[in-house]
Amino acid sequence: TAPRVSVLAPPGLELDEIAQNLSAHYQVPLVSQKSITDEMLALAEEGEVEDPVVSDVVEYVAAASKSKKAPKPMTAEQVTNLFKWKLSQAECHNKGWIMVGFPNTAEEAELLSTDGKEDVGGGDGTDAGQVTYSVHPFHAPRKLITFDASVSDLEQ
């Protein structure tokens, strides 16, 4: 089966080299927020911006580059949509992937591993507003690798 691994660590601990080695060993794509954003911007330069997720990111980057102050961070939903977009592509779907630095919160993990919401409220008003989530089998990591480091470890 195709590896689907998320590699996480506390702030200050660099994971790039570890993730690159895993990606090379398993011969699967390395997926990070930066790599996905760069790929989307390259698509935009080629004029291939039909996907709303790509358009959203291109607009965000354009607005951030025009602003003199630091851009506000992307929402959990925006970041999750980046990863879902990439993980839905044929290469990741068929080969698997190594994901770096995501998900960071329970909300992001839930958003990543679900397809969306569906209102299943009864037509007669019973259970109105009840929401169910369906798990998307190709977005949820099979393995989670976490690294722990104390402040003294990071200072060395």
Side-chain angles (χ1 to χ4, degrees):
T1 60
R4 296 191 317 259
V5 179
S6 181
V7 183
L8 302 170
L13 188 62
E14 288 296 322
L15 294 175
D16 293 341
E17 187 175 342
I18 295 166
Q20 287 171 354
N21 289 338
L22 285 169
S23 175
H25 176 77
Y26 290 106
Q27 298 179 348
V28 297
L30 180 61
V31 180
S32 68
Q33 184 173 347
K34 181 179 178 353
S35 69
I36 299 168
T37 302
D38 290 347
E39 182 178 345
M40 290 178 166
L41 292 173
L43 287 173
E45 286 180 14
E46 295 170 9
E48 299 178 28
V49 186
E50 296 174 13
D51 189 294
V53 175
V54 176
S55 297
D56 188 36
V57 170
V58 170
E59 289 171 13
Y60 174 84
V61 170
S65 66
K66 290 179 184 174
S67 176
K68 291 183 180 182
K69 49 187 176 172
K72 67 179 183 177
M74 294 178 109
T75 66
E77 188 173 347
Q78 287 173 310
V79 175
T80 303
N81 285 341
L82 283 173
F83 282 91
K84 282 184 170 186
W85 175 84
K86 181 61 179 176
L87 300 181
S88 296
Q89 299 203 355
E91 181 182 36
C92 289
H93 182 84
N94 295 331
K95 288 179 149 185
W97 39 264
I98 303 295
M99 184 184 319
V100 182
F102 188 83
N104 291 307
T105 66
E107 177 187 12
E108 290 173 344
E110 185 175 337
L111 288 168
L112 180 66
S113 63
T114 57
D115 262 347
K117 329 180 209 190
E118 181 180 325
D119 189 338
V120 293
D124 60 356
T126 58
D127 296 327
Q130 181 180 2
V131 176
T132 26
Y133 293 93
S134 59
V135 176
H136 193 289
F138 297 107
H139 292 166
R142 286 194 182 115
K143 301 283 184 193
L144 182 62
I145 300 172
T146 59
F147 293 90
D148 192 15
S150 68
V151 172
S152 61
D153 291 336
L154 296 175
E155 290 174 350
Q156 294 179 5

